[in-house]
Amino acid sequence: MKTIYDVQQLLKKFGTIIYVGERLADLELMEEELIELYKSQLIESRDFQTALLLLRQEIQIERDKLNFH
């Protein structure tokens, strides 16, 4: 798992497709869903950690963009 697209594909395996139309909101909702899947023991610890890291990095990038403008 290397990209946000990969995280989306992981979530899609569980029937979760997130699209609000605002990138930051989409990423934050994906993070919440990922945490719920992990708490429910539906995804492996390694997949969870990798996906969470990717999401949090991308969330920070988006927040930096908003704060820059």
Side-chain angles (χ1 to χ4, degrees):
M1 193 173 325
K2 296 180 180 180
T3 66
I4 295 300
Y5 178 77
D6 295 334
V7 176
Q8 290 173 316
Q9 294 309 302
L10 175 66
L11 293 175
K12 191 174 171 183
K13 288 180 186 176
F14 296 96
T16 302
I17 297 172
I18 296 175
Y19 181 74
V20 176
E22 182 185 327
R23 180 114 171 115
L24 183 56
D26 289 345
L27 294 167
E28 290 170 342
L29 286 171
M30 283 190 265
E31 180 180 347
E32 289 177 30
E33 187 64 25
L34 185 70
I35 291 168
E36 288 304 314
L37 288 171
Y38 181 69
K39 284 181 182 176
S40 301
Q41 299 179 342
L42 294 171
I43 57 175
E44 297 291 323
S45 177
R46 186 172 180 86
D47 288 338
F48 171 70
Q49 291 173 346
T50 304
L52 192 61
L53 179 63
L54 285 166
L55 285 170
R56 290 191 173 163
Q57 287 174 337
E58 196 66 25
I59 286 169
Q60 189 58 51
I61 290 168
E62 290 301 316
R63 286 183 177 154
D64 289 346
K65 285 181 189 175
L66 288 174
N67 290 334
F68 184 71
H69 291 115

